């Protein structure tokens, strides 16, 4: 049985993101894509527009000096333009002397074969906020 196109799209996105290939990630998004990131940290909020979302991802790589990865555990789809990606996130912030290892999920809305909305859920918002910190 072939993988659903929405699941394949999400897998391509995770693969490109893990490699730090923001150009490839951007090609999978609509121009008005929004990423909703929980909490009160410097990467939290409703980041609107593909370029702004990609800038936020670049900031994550910058803050962790590339010491960040995501293990995709599963992708579930509803066949109506939604996909949920369960994952485990690992990162280190040498400047803060701390690391993070946390379960999470991303809920994708897919329109016309492109990602138009990403809702992020994390296991512990307070720990995530502490790890990412406030804007300096």
């Amino acid at each position: 049985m072939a993988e659903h196109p929405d699941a394949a799209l999400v897998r391509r996105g995770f693969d490109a993101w893990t490699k730090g290939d923001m150009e490839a990630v951007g090609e999978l998004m609509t121009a008005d894509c929004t990423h909703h990131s929980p909490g009160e940290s410097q990467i939290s909020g409703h980041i609107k527009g593909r370029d702004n979302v990609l800038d936020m991802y670049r900031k994550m790589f910058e803050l962790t000096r590339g010491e960040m990865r995501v293990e995709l555990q599963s992708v579930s789809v509803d066949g109506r333009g939604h996909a949920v990606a369960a994952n485990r996130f690992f990162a280190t912030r040498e400047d803060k002397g701390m690391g993070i290892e946390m379960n999470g999920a991303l809920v994708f809305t897919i329109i016309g074969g492109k990602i138009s909305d990403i809702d992020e859920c994390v296991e512990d918002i307070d720990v995530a906020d502490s790890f990412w910190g406030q804007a300096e």
Side-chain angles (χ1 to χ4, degrees):
M1 186 175 208
E3 183 173 46
H4 191 279
D6 292 346
L9 175 72
V10 169
R11 286 184 195 283
R12 284 195 312 274
F14 268 83
D15 183 55
W17 189 91
T18 298
K19 293 175 182 172
D21 186 351
M22 294 304 115
E23 184 176 332
V25 171
E27 290 173 2
L28 304 176
M29 298 176 171
T30 61
D32 62 349
C33 182
T34 301
H35 184 124
H36 309 275
S37 186
E40 300 293 330
S41 76
Q42 62 184 312
I43 64 159
S44 297
H46 304 286
I47 296 86
K48 298 177 184 184
R50 175 179 45 224
D51 293 340
N52 293 327
V53 172
L54 294 174
D55 285 345
M56 187 263 284
Y57 296 162
R58 287 183 192 100
K59 175 124 185 143
M60 293 170 73
F61 277 96
E62 177 186 311
L63 290 169
T64 62
R65 296 192 172 123
E67 296 295 322
M68 176 175 65
R69 66 184 170 86
V70 176
E71 290 179 1
L72 181 59
Q73 297 172 330
S74 67
V75 180
S76 302
V77 298
D78 68 357
R80 298 184 328 261
H82 300 99
V84 178
N87 62 80
R88 188 143 182 91
F89 179 79
F90 305 84
T92 303
R93 297 254 336 247
E94 290 180 17
D95 62 322
K96 295 186 87 171
M98 70 184 294
I100 191 169
E101 181 177 333
M102 184 178 295
N103 290 323
L106 297 173
V107 180
F108 295 89
T109 301
I110 299 165
I111 298 174
K114 298 237 180 203
I115 298 164
S116 67
D117 196 79
I118 306 165
D119 273 306
E120 182 178 356
C121 300
V122 296
E123 190 172 40
D124 189 322
I125 292 173
D126 293 335
V127 170
D129 280 349
S130 178
F131 178 79
W132 292 113
Q134 297 300 310
E136 298 173 12

